[in-house]
Amino acid sequence: MPIFMDRHDLRGATAAQVAEAHRRDIDVQERYGVKYMAYWFDEHNGSGFCLVHAPDAAAAERVHREAHGQIANAIVPVDLSTVEAFLGRIGDPRAAPGAAAPAIDAGLRAVMFTDIVGSTEMTARLGDSAALELVRAHDALVRRGLDAYGGREVKHTGDGIMASFDKVANAVRAAADIQRRFAAYNAEASESLSVRIGVHAGEPVEDHNDLFGATVQLASRLCSEAEANGIVVSGLVRELSDEDAARFTALGERRLKGFAESTPVYRFEWRK
């Protein structure tokens, strides 16, 4: 059965009123062969969104009309894989006015970079708007992996994300989790996404809630060394990770740009 997303103008409504309207939809939905899966309420912008399985858009509209009379401004078919990438996250949470950014702990940590493979070609082929939607899907999937393993997003790089972890082992686990999320996404998506991931560990320099120094630079270089859908880590990350050594494939000593000494590089076999 097709999946639709509908949008409502809910300016002036409260969260409690929107929740009650959703409850009424659920009470009525079976009469029309419809199933409401989730809803979101953006109180700041006065917008509401519903995700619904329905035979067609008209059936979804009839449920709203009978349940509470709040007719959607638009009801459009959506790709399930894209929706799942965003499920539960319509937009980035807004920080409270005057709130400080989350502190980054000092000391040894792992730094991770993700990078969308072929992002420039993707933009040229699909256009800015469609490519931006894929970047947003990337962001949502990566952020879920970071959340699952205690990672902190440091900044967005345009076609990737830089993150840090207090525990090196968690960075490796998160990298594998992220690649599994992309594999699941690509199995259903009409337009697939491939990312490469690099991880290094050290003591980066912290300034204004950003990270700098050789640790960050090497992590970025390692990301560039990874193949599509791959994870590349430094020898130090391999040593500090508690993963089975058999899951790390030695790629040899690499002379990475900007570094005088060769770096032992390993591919982490996340599919094992």
Side-chain angles (χ1 to χ4, degrees), residues 105-191:
D105 297 335
L108 178 70
R109 75 194 73 177
V111 175
M112 171 196 290
F113 278 87
T114 71
D115 177 63
I116 299 174
V117 177
S119 59
T120 301
E121 293 82 355
M122 179 180 74
T123 301
R125 179 168 53 86
L126 300 176
D128 291 340
S129 296
L132 179 58
E133 290 304 313
L134 289 177
V135 171
R136 288 174 175 165
H138 158 275
D139 296 348
L141 293 170
V142 170
R143 285 165 178 157
R144 286 187 178 188
L146 297 182
D147 290 344
Y149 290 94
R152 299 184 183 89
E153 181 178 342
V154 177
K155 63 184 176 184
H156 200 282
T157 62
D159 53 5
I161 283 177
M162 171 185 170
S164 72
F165 296 78
D166 294 338
K167 296 181 180 179
V168 176
N170 280 352
V172 177
R173 295 187 188 109
D177 181 73
I178 289 167
Q179 291 292 17
R180 285 191 290 268
R181 291 176 188 274
F182 276 98
Y185 172 89
N186 290 334
E188 300 290 339
S190 56
E191 188 72 39

Side-chain angles (χ1 to χ4, degrees), residues 172 233 238 241 243-250 266-269:
V172 177
V233 305
R238 175 181 177 273
S241 170
E243 296 290 337
D244 185 346
R247 300 187 70 184
F248 295 89
T249 299
Y266 295 84
R267 181 175 62 240
F268 182 67
E269 307 295 349

Side-chain angles (χ1 to χ4, degrees), residues 78-86 137 141 184-191:
V78 293
D79 187 322
L80 177 60
S81 57
T82 301
V83 171
E84 287 178 340
F86 291 99
L141 293 170
Y185 172 89
N186 290 334
E188 300 290 339
S190 56
E191 188 72 39

Side-chain angles (χ1 to χ4, degrees), residues 7-130:
R7 181 185 184 280
H8 297 261
D9 183 352
L10 297 176
R11 283 172 289 187
T14 66
Q17 290 170 333
V18 176
E20 173 61 17
H22 180 67
R23 186 193 64 76
R24 293 180 183 179
D25 284 333
I26 293 173
D27 288 343
V28 173
Q29 62 185 6
E30 291 186 3
R31 300 175 193 173
Y32 300 97
V34 170
K35 182 178 180 181
Y36 278 86
M37 302 164 63
Y39 78 95
W40 299 267
F41 177 42
D42 183 347
E43 188 170 7
H44 179 82
N45 293 310
S47 297
F49 305 85
C50 294
L51 183 65
V52 54
H53 273 292
D56 50 42
E61 182 176 355
R62 284 195 290 272
V63 172
H64 282 324
R65 189 182 301 277
E66 180 175 334
H68 44 65
Q70 296 174 356
I71 307 305
N73 299 87
I75 303 178
V76 297
V78 293
D79 187 322
L80 177 60
S81 57
T82 301
V83 171
E84 287 178 340
F86 291 99
L87 195 60
R89 187 189 183 99
I90 290 299
D92 293 330
R94 294 177 178 269
I104 297 178
D105 297 335
L108 178 70
R109 75 194 73 177
V111 175
M112 171 196 290
F113 278 87
T114 71
D115 177 63
I116 299 174
V117 177
S119 59
T120 301
E121 293 82 355
M122 179 180 74
T123 301
R125 179 168 53 86
L126 300 176
D128 291 340
S129 296

Side-chain angles (χ1 to χ4, degrees), residues 154-255:
V154 177
K155 63 184 176 184
H156 200 282
T157 62
D159 53 5
I161 283 177
M162 171 185 170
S164 72
F165 296 78
D166 294 338
K167 296 181 180 179
V168 176
N170 280 352
V172 177
R173 295 187 188 109
D177 181 73
I178 289 167
Q179 291 292 17
R180 285 191 290 268
R181 291 176 188 274
F182 276 98
Y185 172 89
N186 290 334
E188 300 290 339
S190 56
E191 188 72 39
S192 63
L193 271 173
S194 293
V195 297
R196 53 172 66 92
I197 301 176
V199 185
H200 182 45
E203 296 187 10
V205 177
E206 188 267 328
D207 184 57
H208 291 89
N209 214 50
D210 200 351
L211 298 178
F212 303 91
T215 299
V216 174
Q217 294 164 358
L218 186 52
S220 178
R221 296 287 185 265
L222 289 170
C223 183
S224 299
E225 293 291 308
E227 60 191 6
N229 308 312
I231 300 169
V232 164
V233 305
S234 64
L236 181 58
V237 168
R238 175 181 177 273
E239 292 173 11
L240 295 177
S241 170
D242 57 8
E243 296 290 337
D244 185 346
R247 300 187 70 184
F248 295 89
T249 299
L251 301 179
E253 301 270 338
R254 299 282 178 90
R255 292 293 298 271

